[in-house]
Amino acid sequence: MSEQTSDAMQPALARVDSFIDAAWLADGWSTHTASNYRRDLVQWVEWLHQQGLDSLRATAEQLRDFLAEQARLYEANAGLSLSQRRELPVLQRGKNAASRARLLSALRRYYRYWLEEAQIALDPTAELDGPRLVRPLPKTLSEAEVEALLGAPASDTALGLRDRAMLELMYATGLRVSELVALPLAALDLQAGAIRIEQGKGGKTRIVPMGELARLALDAYLQGGRAELLGGRAHAITFLNPRGEPLTRQGFWFIVKRYAAQAGIASTRLSPHVLRHAFATHLVNHGADLRVVQLLLGHADITTTQIYTHVAQARLQALHSQHHPRG
């Protein structure tokens, strides 16, 4: 992009950044989400700029043309290797169905924002249908497998107490891995049996109950193992490694992998995020309201949580096929 072209695009890019900042503050987006949305929107305004068009005056027809072009380019480049595709200009690479769905989601949010700000009179995305996606069901574990996993850590060592507390807490609360490893002591309320999670830059807070077994495991770690890991030092984070420092996401992944082997669960079927899926799936299987699960998981959009109704339905169908005489 030439300097002259870049200068001419500055108003459009500034609008993209204003939207991203507002959405980040309002919804507590992760840096990853904000970066993806910004990249998609910058590609859109660049495409418009090449045709002498302005994003606030875009029409539904222009949006359809852009999405169709991205689909066509993706198919045209299907024979290229990943490195060859990356050598192409960004707008010439194309997008698959999942990427186009994310792009359309970014565009919907972008134009809804400017409609609410009274900068446009009509939302050009209102008439658009998204690409059809077949969403894979998330990997999960049976309740018996979870019991075996939670029972794997030893209860007579500092690391065993820590690991049991982490696994119990993640399954009991559905925490994200990033939330678990960064969990501060100040967020724990053992007396109430709940934890407080601060979400994103917007400072949103959710209160999640932890259940009695997780509370007992956490209390045992705090009363026993944690002091040994600290070695006389102090730290505000709950879960620590043998050097008295916070665990990393990768460190927790190795912990999960080790106990999966002990519990007889294939490592390909288990990751830290699978425990979060198991938490939500088992709640829905036992009749929990989807809105409650949404609040506990910290999902901003109920559609993200609705995947668990499909998991529950798939389980019921499997049981029917296995046990019904005409299954």
Side-chain angles (χ1 to χ4, degrees), residues 256-269:
V256 171
K257 190 174 182 180
R258 182 170 71 250
Y259 291 121
Q262 291 183 29
I265 302 169
S267 60
T268 55
R269 296 188 54 236

Side-chain angles (χ1 to χ4, degrees), residues 231-246:
R233 296 180 294 271
H235 208 292
I237 297 300
T238 302
F239 297 111
L240 307 169
N241 63 25
R243 298 184 300 277
E245 300 168 349

